[in-house]
Amino acid sequence: MKTVEQLQEIAAQVRRDIIRMVYNAKSGHPGGSLGCTDVVTALFFEVMDINPSNFTKEGRGEDMFFLSNGHISPMLYSIMARRGYFDIKELATFRKLRTRLQGHPTPVEKLPGLRIASGSLGQGLSVSIGAAIAKKHNQDPHVVYTLTGDGELEEGQVWEAFMFAGAKKVDNLIAIIDHNKKQIDGSTDDVMPLGSLKDKLEAFQWIVLEMDGNDMKQVIDTLHVAKSKLGQGRPVVVVMKTEMGMGVDFMMGTHKWHGTPPNQEQAERALAQLPETSLGDF
């Protein structure tokens, strides 16, 4: 088991990785990646039962994670590398042609840790429900996790999936919503107000939890509570408040870093705010 302090150090290194990957590629999505770093670090290093050294796409006998908002791939790639799915040095190939670390995750290149292509928004929850139902058929007691963005909830397929999972009692599934209230064109309130997600999801027969997704202790505690709610005939969803661009002051509080890479001066400023760790840069 990892301590909160150890998880915070991993998350700090992941944030450094994100800035360096997006800067080196001159392309990518730093904002949401930085915001979601804490929760996915907690999942991969503490909460999930996974086996990086023996990865299979079928995922039998282990927990499974699906990233629906695939544009925040630099965060996922860094965490998978740091967790041992592939060599950390491969992070230097992010978004380069004919490499495995494409801008949106793709399993075509057989990257360990990936099971689906994602980034065409709205699809991840549906896939996760299918995986969870498969685990039930296979009498596999493990859990399926998925992460989706709040802007992604403008896709109708997501709400069909929420309705289906609640109606069919898919109670081995934990969905996490990154509720940073920002998307590529502005705030979600300006583009398409979501109203009360808690009320809507409870109406669809989900157990709803809420947390600060940038408070590591709260993240760990809430995810363990989420696991304790499984098996009760209802899927579980965690509505997670995060700050886009978390850890870098000039990237926080704005949607403008959703898909904008930093220039050299900005990357240096960002890295100066993100402490070096014992893990070391790639």
Side-chain angles (χ1 to χ4, degrees):
M1 293 179 62
K2 299 287 188 184
T3 65
V4 170
E5 291 73 22
Q6 287 172 323
L7 293 169
Q8 288 171 332
E9 182 179 36
I10 296 168
Q13 184 60 58
V14 170
R15 288 190 167 98
R16 289 185 61 85
D17 291 347
I18 290 166
I19 294 298
R20 297 182 71 242
M21 291 165 69
V22 175
Y23 167 69
N24 289 343
K26 304 296 186 288
S27 178
H29 297 77
S33 296
L34 293 167
C36 287
T37 291
D38 299 299
V39 69
V40 182
T41 296
L43 285 171
F44 274 74
F45 284 88
E46 175 64 20
V47 177
M48 291 197 301
D49 179 12
I50 52 177
N51 185 2
S53 64
N54 189 31
F55 172 76
T56 65
K57 289 193 69 173
E58 295 78 12
R60 294 194 183 194
E62 65 175 337
D63 293 340
M64 301 173 75
F65 174 79
F66 295 95
L67 179 68
S68 187
N69 47 336
H71 55 277
I72 63 173
S73 62
M75 173 274 300
L76 182 62
Y77 293 149
S78 170
I79 289 171
M80 290 196 306
R82 298 283 172 184
R83 187 62 176 85
Y85 282 96
F86 56 89
D87 195 311
I88 293 167
K89 293 179 181 178
E90 193 169 350
L91 297 178
T93 71
F94 176 61
R95 278 184 174 253
K96 297 187 184 299
L97 290 176
R98 292 178 289 279
T99 68
R100 301 195 296 180
L101 305 188
Q102 291 301 297
H104 287 185
T106 170
V108 173
E109 305 296 341
K110 296 181 173 56
L111 183 70
L114 285 184
R115 293 186 170 93
I116 63 167
S118 60
S120 296
L121 297 180
Q123 300 176 4
L125 181 58
S126 298
V127 173
S128 302
I129 292 168
I133 291 173
K135 283 195 176 294
K136 283 179 171 287
H137 284 308
N138 291 330
Q139 298 183 324
D140 182 342
H142 286 82
V143 182
V144 175
Y145 296 85
T146 187
L147 174 62
T148 182
D150 53 3
E152 187 175 1
L153 301 190
E154 294 164 15
E155 300 277 356
Q157 180 176 341
V158 178
W159 292 99
E160 294 178 46
F162 278 131
M163 183 166 57
F164 179 91
K168 301 303 180 183
K169 305 184 188 321
V170 185
D171 59 359
N172 58 338
L173 171 67
I174 297 176
I176 302 166
I177 298 172
D178 177 22
H179 198 24
N180 62 24
K181 300 185 179 181
K182 296 177 182 65
Q183 58 190 105
I184 190 170
D185 289 328
S187 74
T188 52
D189 285 342
D190 290 337
V191 177
M192 184 70 72
L194 293 168
S196 172
L197 289 178
K198 185 174 188 292
D199 290 346
K200 291 177 179 178
L201 294 164
E202 285 180 342
F204 282 13
Q205 302 305 307
W206 285 66
I207 296 171
V208 183
L209 303 175
E210 297 175 298
M211 72 178 180
D212 180 346
N214 296 133
D215 180 327
M216 186 62 80
K217 185 177 187 307
Q218 191 176 144
V219 167
I220 291 295
D221 290 345
T222 305
L223 290 175
H224 283 306
V225 170
K227 287 180 67 176
S228 75
K229 301 289 186 182
L230 297 173
Q232 300 179 21
R234 299 167 67 189
V236 177
V237 59
V238 179
V239 180
M240 174 181 74
K241 177 185 175 183
T242 69
E243 183 65 58
M244 183 176 281
M246 185 66 189
V248 180
D249 59 6
F250 62 88
M251 292 186 175
M252 297 166 62
T254 176
H255 69 281
K256 294 182 180 179
W257 293 94
H258 169 91
T260 303
N263 60 29
Q264 182 176 348
E265 184 270 335
Q266 291 164 334
E268 290 173 353
R269 284 173 58 199
L271 290 171
Q273 296 178 37
L274 298 168
E276 295 185 16
T277 76
S278 62
L279 301 175
D281 293 331
F282 63 86

